[in-house]
Amino acid sequence: MERTTTGTVRGLLRGLAAGEALGAASPGAGGVLRHGVAAQLACASAEGLLRAGTGTDPVAEVHAAYRRWSQRYRAFAASGPSLLHEDRGPSGATSRALATGAAGTLRDPLTTSAGWHAVVRALPVAALGLTEDGADSAVALTAARTAVLTHGHVTAAPAGIAALVAAAALRGTPLTGAVGHALAAAVLAGLDARAVWAADAAVRAAHRTPGDPQLAEVLGGGPACTGVLAAAVYAVLSHPREPRLALRLALTAPRAAGAGALAGAWLGAAHGPEALPARVDVADVLDALADRLTDGVGGRRGA
C-alpha cells in the first residue's frame, strides 16, 4: 500500500483507539473493538485544533472541545447520534477539572494529576508538525499545554514528547529516528528533563535487551504519564518494523490501555492504518477526522 500523509494520520488515530481498547480488554460484537475514553478525548483534541483559525490559540479551542465532551456533546459529528456520546469508562481527573470551568496552564496547573489520559489525548497535536520548518516547538508546547488544562505539570513533558514522536513519524521518519528526534526537540523546547530521562532509559533498554515483557513492566512503573511513555518507547523500539509484536509488548505494561494507545498511535503513524488490523467501532469517524486534520491543520501549517 502506498504511504500517504492522510493514511498515516488515519493510522495514528486508529492505532490510538485500537491500542487503548486492546489494553482495556474491550472487545465488541463481531470482533470489533469498543473505543475508550482516551479515544474520545483525542477526537475532542482534533476538533479543537480544527476549530482554531489562523491567529487563534488552539489550546483555548481544545479546552472548549473538552468541556463539550464532558457534557457528552460532539459538535463535529457528521449526523445523528454518535458512539462518542457514550460513557466509556472513568476519566475522573479530566471530568473533575472540566467541571470547574477553569483551564490550567504551564505556569499554574489546575490539578496535580499524573494520569495518562492527558498524554494520549494530545497526540492529534502532531498534525501541527506535518511541515518541517519550525514545527517541533509548536508541537511540543501545544501538546504540553493541552495536558495541563486538566492535569498536573508532570504530564506536560510526556505529552510533548509523545506528540513529537508522532509528528516525526507522520513526516516519514522511521520510529527509531522519530524517538531520537523527539527527545532532542523536547530538550530544545525546554520540556521537563525527567520525562526525557525516562524515555531515554527505555531507548537504551530496547537497544540492550529488546522484547522483554519484564522490562516493559519495570519501565512502565512510576507516575502514569511517564510510565506509559517509557513502556511505549521500549515496545516500538524493540520491534520497530513489526507493529503487531510491538503492540503486543506494549500491552504487557502495567497501564496497558495507555501504553497500548501510545504505541498503537506511533505504529499507525509510521506504518499506516492497515498496520494494526484490529477493527474499532468508530473507525469511520476517526478516518474523517484524520482527513480533516491533514487538509485543515496540516494545510494551515504549510500555507
Side-chain angles (χ1 to χ4, degrees), residues 271-298:
H271 298 287
E274 306 306 323
L276 301 171
R279 296 169 58 205
V280 184
D281 55 3
V282 288
D284 291 345
V285 174
L286 298 176
D287 287 351
L289 276 173
D291 294 350
R292 291 176 63 200
L293 281 171
T294 302
D295 296 337
V297 175

Side-chain angles (χ1 to χ4, degrees), residues 50-118:
L50 287 164
R51 283 175 175 260
T54 304
T56 303
D57 181 6
V59 178
E61 292 289 354
V62 169
H63 184 246
Y66 291 162
R67 293 202 67 199
R68 286 189 292 274
W69 167 85
S70 71
Q71 299 166 11
R72 295 296 185 260
Y73 294 131
R74 185 168 165 272
F76 54 92
S79 62
S82 168
L83 289 172
L84 294 181
H85 287 115
E86 296 181 2
D87 185 351
R88 289 295 176 93
S91 55
T94 299
S95 296
R96 286 191 297 272
L98 292 172
T100 70
T105 66
L106 289 171
R107 185 169 295 181
D108 188 18
L110 199 60
T111 74
T112 58
S113 173
W116 59 265
H117 283 156

